[in-house]
mmCIF file of all heavy atoms in Angstrom:
data_model
loop_
_atom_site.group_PDB
_atom_site.id
_atom_site.type_symbol
_atom_site.label_atom_id
_atom_site.label_comp_id
_atom_site.label_asym_id
_atom_site.label_seq_id
_atom_site.Cartn_x
_atom_site.Cartn_y
_atom_site.Cartn_z
ATOM 1 N N PHE R 1251 87.818 78.663 113.117
ATOM 2 C CA PHE R 1251 87.501 78.262 114.478
ATOM 3 C C PHE R 1251 87.796 76.763 114.694
ATOM 4 O O PHE R 1251 88.121 76.362 115.816
ATOM 5 C CB PHE R 1251 86.081 78.648 114.840
ATOM 6 C CG PHE R 1251 85.971 80.129 115.127
ATOM 7 C CD1 PHE R 1251 85.179 80.946 114.372
ATOM 8 C CD2 PHE R 1251 86.741 80.687 116.134
ATOM 9 C CE1 PHE R 1251 85.117 82.305 114.618
ATOM 10 C CE2 PHE R 1251 86.697 82.055 116.385
ATOM 11 C CZ PHE R 1251 85.889 82.875 115.620
ATOM 12 N N MET R 1252 87.740 75.963 113.638
ATOM 13 C CA MET R 1252 88.194 74.579 113.754
ATOM 14 C C MET R 1252 89.667 74.589 114.208
ATOM 15 O O MET R 1252 90.068 73.842 115.087
ATOM 16 C CB MET R 1252 88.077 73.843 112.421
ATOM 17 C CG MET R 1252 86.649 73.577 111.985
ATOM 18 S SD MET R 1252 85.736 72.488 113.123
ATOM 19 C CE MET R 1252 86.620 70.959 112.874
ATOM 20 N N TYR R 1253 90.429 75.431 113.542
ATOM 21 C CA TYR R 1253 91.858 75.591 113.915
ATOM 22 C C TYR R 1253 91.990 75.992 115.391
ATOM 23 O O TYR R 1253 92.738 75.388 116.152
ATOM 24 C CB TYR R 1253 92.496 76.626 112.988
ATOM 25 C CG TYR R 1253 93.850 77.156 113.457
ATOM 26 C CD1 TYR R 1253 95.020 76.456 113.190
ATOM 27 C CD2 TYR R 1253 93.935 78.368 114.145
ATOM 28 C CE1 TYR R 1253 96.253 76.936 113.607
ATOM 29 C CE2 TYR R 1253 95.172 78.858 114.563
ATOM 30 C CZ TYR R 1253 96.314 78.139 114.303
ATOM 31 O OH TYR R 1253 97.523 78.607 114.726
ATOM 32 N N CYS R 1254 91.219 77.005 115.796
ATOM 33 C CA CYS R 1254 91.319 77.502 117.183
ATOM 34 C C CYS R 1254 90.847 76.428 118.183
ATOM 35 O O CYS R 1254 91.490 76.247 119.217
ATOM 36 C CB CYS R 1254 90.454 78.741 117.353
ATOM 37 S SG CYS R 1254 91.054 80.172 116.458
ATOM 38 N N LEU R 1255 89.747 75.747 117.873
ATOM 39 C CA LEU R 1255 89.203 74.753 118.816
ATOM 40 C C LEU R 1255 90.228 73.639 119.063
ATOM 41 O O LEU R 1255 90.384 73.191 120.184
ATOM 42 C CB LEU R 1255 87.903 74.170 118.258
ATOM 43 C CG LEU R 1255 86.720 75.146 118.156
ATOM 44 C CD1 LEU R 1255 85.524 74.465 117.453
ATOM 45 C CD2 LEU R 1255 86.309 75.678 119.514
ATOM 46 N N GLU R 1256 90.946 73.241 118.028
ATOM 47 C CA GLU R 1256 91.940 72.175 118.188
ATOM 48 C C GLU R 1256 93.121 72.640 119.037
ATOM 49 O O GLU R 1256 93.893 71.827 119.513
ATOM 50 C CB GLU R 1256 92.445 71.720 116.832
ATOM 51 C CG GLU R 1256 91.387 70.935 116.053
ATOM 52 C CD GLU R 1256 91.912 70.369 114.746
ATOM 53 O OE1 GLU R 1256 93.149 70.250 114.591
ATOM 54 O OE2 GLU R 1256 91.078 70.072 113.865
ATOM 55 N N ARG R 1257 93.267 73.921 119.174
ATOM 56 C CA ARG R 1257 94.381 74.453 119.989
ATOM 57 C C ARG R 1257 94.000 74.675 121.454
ATOM 58 O O ARG R 1257 94.851 75.015 122.266
ATOM 59 C CB ARG R 1257 94.871 75.767 119.354
ATOM 60 C CG ARG R 1257 96.072 75.490 118.470
ATOM 61 C CD ARG R 1257 96.066 76.166 117.153
ATOM 62 N NE ARG R 1257 97.042 75.509 116.286
ATOM 63 C CZ ARG R 1257 96.802 74.353 115.625
ATOM 64 N NH1 ARG R 1257 95.646 73.742 115.748
ATOM 65 N NH2 ARG R 1257 97.753 73.797 114.878
ATOM 66 N N VAL R 1258 92.736 74.464 121.800
ATOM 67 C CA VAL R 1258 92.321 74.670 123.182
ATOM 68 C C VAL R 1258 92.938 73.624 124.110
ATOM 69 O O VAL R 1258 93.408 73.946 125.204
ATOM 70 C CB VAL R 1258 90.772 74.709 123.315
ATOM 71 C CG1 VAL R 1258 90.328 74.681 124.762
ATOM 72 C CG2 VAL R 1258 90.199 75.945 122.615
ATOM 73 N N GLY R 1259 92.990 72.358 123.666
ATOM 74 C CA GLY R 1259 93.586 71.295 124.471
ATOM 75 C C GLY R 1259 95.024 71.624 124.891
ATOM 76 O O GLY R 1259 95.332 71.700 126.091
ATOM 77 N N PRO R 1260 95.904 71.821 123.908
ATOM 78 C CA PRO R 1260 97.288 72.189 124.256
ATOM 79 C C PRO R 1260 97.384 73.454 125.127
ATOM 80 O O PRO R 1260 98.212 73.543 126.030
ATOM 81 C CB PRO R 1260 97.949 72.437 122.887
ATOM 82 C CG PRO R 1260 97.111 71.661 121.924
ATOM 83 C CD PRO R 1260 95.724 71.615 122.476
ATOM 84 N N LEU R 1261 96.501 74.439 124.855
ATOM 85 C CA LEU R 1261 96.526 75.685 125.624
ATOM 86 C C LEU R 1261 96.213 75.395 127.108
ATOM 87 O O LEU R 1261 96.870 75.963 128.005
ATOM 88 C CB LEU R 1261 95.496 76.652 125.049
ATOM 89 C CG LEU R 1261 95.337 77.984 125.782
ATOM 90 C CD1 LEU R 1261 96.542 78.877 125.531
ATOM 91 C CD2 LEU R 1261 94.069 78.715 125.349
ATOM 92 N N VAL R 1262 95.218 74.555 127.336
ATOM 93 C CA VAL R 1262 94.812 74.259 128.713
ATOM 94 C C VAL R 1262 95.908 73.487 129.471
ATOM 95 O O VAL R 1262 96.064 73.648 130.681
ATOM 96 C CB VAL R 1262 93.463 73.499 128.723
ATOM 97 C CG1 VAL R 1262 93.169 72.897 130.085
ATOM 98 C CG2 VAL R 1262 92.343 74.438 128.295
ATOM 99 N N LYS R 1263 96.690 72.715 128.728
ATOM 100 C CA LYS R 1263 97.857 72.052 129.369
ATOM 101 C C LYS R 1263 98.847 73.076 129.879
ATOM 102 O O LYS R 1263 99.429 72.923 130.951
ATOM 103 C CB LYS R 1263 98.544 71.098 128.381
ATOM 104 C CG LYS R 1263 97.874 69.741 128.336
ATOM 105 C CD LYS R 1263 98.721 68.719 127.608
ATOM 106 C CE LYS R 1263 97.872 67.460 127.380
ATOM 107 N NZ LYS R 1263 98.173 66.816 126.112
ATOM 108 N N GLU R 1264 99.018 74.149 129.111
ATOM 109 C CA GLU R 1264 99.941 75.229 129.519
ATOM 110 C C GLU R 1264 99.334 76.099 130.610
ATOM 111 O O GLU R 1264 100.045 76.584 131.473
ATOM 112 C CB GLU R 1264 100.241 76.133 128.327
ATOM 113 C CG GLU R 1264 101.401 75.724 127.458
ATOM 114 C CD GLU R 1264 101.547 76.712 126.306
ATOM 115 O OE1 GLU R 1264 101.600 77.925 126.563
ATOM 116 O OE2 GLU R 1264 101.585 76.266 125.150
ATOM 117 N N LYS R 1265 98.030 76.332 130.534
ATOM 118 C CA LYS R 1265 97.349 77.201 131.486
ATOM 119 C C LYS R 1265 96.155 76.476 132.077
ATOM 120 O O LYS R 1265 94.993 76.696 131.669
ATOM 121 C CB LYS R 1265 96.861 78.477 130.773
ATOM 122 C CG LYS R 1265 98.005 79.270 130.109
ATOM 123 C CD LYS R 1265 97.485 80.522 129.436
ATOM 124 C CE LYS R 1265 98.613 81.321 128.788
ATOM 125 N NZ LYS R 1265 98.177 82.508 128.059
ATOM 126 N N PRO R 1266 96.389 75.582 133.067
ATOM 127 C CA PRO R 1266 95.313 74.705 133.589
ATOM 128 C C PRO R 1266 94.137 75.478 134.174
ATOM 129 O O PRO R 1266 93.024 74.952 134.229
ATOM 130 C CB PRO R 1266 96.034 73.900 134.676
ATOM 131 C CG PRO R 1266 97.500 74.011 134.378
ATOM 132 C CD PRO R 1266 97.682 75.333 133.723
ATOM 133 N N ALA R 1267 94.342 76.725 134.569
ATOM 134 C CA ALA R 1267 93.251 77.501 135.150
ATOM 135 C C ALA R 1267 92.087 77.693 134.170
ATOM 136 O O ALA R 1267 90.947 77.913 134.580
ATOM 137 C CB ALA R 1267 93.770 78.849 135.617
ATOM 138 N N LEU R 1268 92.381 77.595 132.874
ATOM 139 C CA LEU R 1268 91.345 77.788 131.876
ATOM 140 C C LEU R 1268 90.358 76.628 131.803
ATOM 141 O O LEU R 1268 89.252 76.773 131.292
ATOM 142 C CB LEU R 1268 91.959 77.998 130.485
ATOM 143 C CG LEU R 1268 92.810 79.250 130.270
ATOM 144 C CD1 LEU R 1268 93.397 79.232 128.856
ATOM 145 C CD2 LEU R 1268 91.939 80.515 130.438
ATOM 146 N N LYS R 1269 90.763 75.474 132.352
ATOM 147 C CA LYS R 1269 89.985 74.243 132.182
ATOM 148 C C LYS R 1269 88.551 74.384 132.648
ATOM 149 O O LYS R 1269 87.619 73.855 132.041
ATOM 150 C CB LYS R 1269 90.677 73.118 132.971
ATOM 151 C CG LYS R 1269 90.406 71.748 132.409
ATOM 152 C CD LYS R 1269 91.146 70.656 133.164
ATOM 153 C CE LYS R 1269 90.504 70.346 134.492
ATOM 154 N NZ LYS R 1269 91.177 69.214 135.182
ATOM 155 N N ASP R 1270 88.345 75.074 133.764
ATOM 156 C CA ASP R 1270 86.992 75.175 134.321
ATOM 157 C C ASP R 1270 86.320 76.494 133.938
ATOM 158 O O ASP R 1270 85.283 76.845 134.511
ATOM 159 C CB ASP R 1270 87.071 75.042 135.848
ATOM 160 C CG ASP R 1270 87.720 73.717 136.242
ATOM 161 O OD1 ASP R 1270 87.334 72.698 135.648
ATOM 162 O OD2 ASP R 1270 88.636 73.736 137.075
ATOM 163 N N ARG R 1271 86.936 77.235 133.017
ATOM 164 C CA ARG R 1271 86.349 78.524 132.634
ATOM 165 C C ARG R 1271 85.652 78.397 131.281
ATOM 166 O O ARG R 1271 86.151 77.749 130.359
ATOM 167 C CB ARG R 1271 87.481 79.564 132.510
ATOM 168 C CG ARG R 1271 87.437 80.647 133.576
ATOM 169 C CD ARG R 1271 88.423 81.752 133.257
ATOM 170 N NE ARG R 1271 88.136 82.441 132.006
ATOM 171 C CZ ARG R 1271 89.006 83.188 131.354
ATOM 172 N NH1 ARG R 1271 90.226 83.345 131.821
ATOM 173 N NH2 ARG R 1271 88.674 83.787 130.224
ATOM 174 N N GLU R 1272 84.483 79.025 131.182
ATOM 175 C CA GLU R 1272 83.833 79.115 129.869
ATOM 176 C C GLU R 1272 84.528 80.181 129.022
ATOM 177 O O GLU R 1272 85.034 81.143 129.576
ATOM 178 C CB GLU R 1272 82.342 79.468 130.051
ATOM 179 C CG GLU R 1272 81.490 78.345 130.599
ATOM 180 C CD GLU R 1272 81.384 77.125 129.691
ATOM 181 O OE1 GLU R 1272 81.903 77.174 128.552
ATOM 182 O OE2 GLU R 1272 80.833 76.129 130.135
ATOM 183 N N PRO R 1273 84.575 80.053 127.724
ATOM 184 C CA PRO R 1273 83.979 78.966 126.920
ATOM 185 C C PRO R 1273 84.897 77.748 126.765
ATOM 186 O O PRO R 1273 84.541 76.822 126.049
ATOM 187 C CB PRO R 1273 83.787 79.653 125.557
ATOM 188 C CG PRO R 1273 84.911 80.624 125.477
ATOM 189 C CD PRO R 1273 85.182 81.077 126.885
ATOM 190 N N PHE R 1274 86.034 77.765 127.464
ATOM 191 C CA PHE R 1274 87.025 76.685 127.263
ATOM 192 C C PHE R 1274 86.487 75.330 127.721
ATOM 193 O O PHE R 1274 86.733 74.306 127.095
ATOM 194 C CB PHE R 1274 88.336 77.054 127.949
ATOM 195 C CG PHE R 1274 88.882 78.376 127.479
ATOM 196 C CD1 PHE R 1274 88.669 79.550 128.216
ATOM 197 C CD2 PHE R 1274 89.551 78.458 126.278
ATOM 198 C CE1 PHE R 1274 89.136 80.770 127.755
ATOM 199 C CE2 PHE R 1274 90.032 79.686 125.801
ATOM 200 C CZ PHE R 1274 89.825 80.843 126.562
ATOM 201 N N SER R 1275 85.743 75.334 128.856
ATOM 202 C CA SER R 1275 85.221 74.056 129.358
ATOM 203 C C SER R 1275 84.229 73.415 128.368
ATOM 204 O O SER R 1275 84.227 72.195 128.191
ATOM 205 C CB SER R 1275 84.610 74.232 130.751
ATOM 206 O OG SER R 1275 83.700 75.304 130.757
ATOM 207 N N THR R 1276 83.444 74.241 127.699
ATOM 208 C CA THR R 1276 82.531 73.698 126.691
ATOM 209 C C THR R 1276 83.311 73.047 125.556
ATOM 210 O O THR R 1276 82.978 71.971 125.093
ATOM 211 C CB THR R 1276 81.613 74.809 126.130
ATOM 212 O OG1 THR R 1276 80.745 75.259 127.166
ATOM 213 C CG2 THR R 1276 80.777 74.313 124.952
ATOM 214 N N VAL R 1277 84.369 73.727 125.117
ATOM 215 C CA VAL R 1277 85.182 73.155 124.026
ATOM 216 C C VAL R 1277 85.766 71.809 124.463
ATOM 217 O O VAL R 1277 85.709 70.809 123.731
ATOM 218 C CB VAL R 1277 86.321 74.119 123.632
ATOM 219 C CG1 VAL R 1277 87.218 73.467 122.579
ATOM 220 C CG2 VAL R 1277 85.751 75.436 123.113
#
Side-chain angles (χ1 to χ4, degrees):
Chain R
F1251 284 118
M1252 290 297 293
Y1253 165 83
C1254 293
L1255 294 174
E1256 289 184 20
R1257 264 135 197 81
V1258 170
L1261 177 73
V1262 167
K1263 275 192 190 145
E1264 272 179 51
K1265 301 181 180 177
L1268 294 177
K1269 207 177 77 176
D1270 303 314
R1271 248 189 63 197
E1272 288 295 355
F1274 304 98
S1275 50
T1276 293
V1277 176

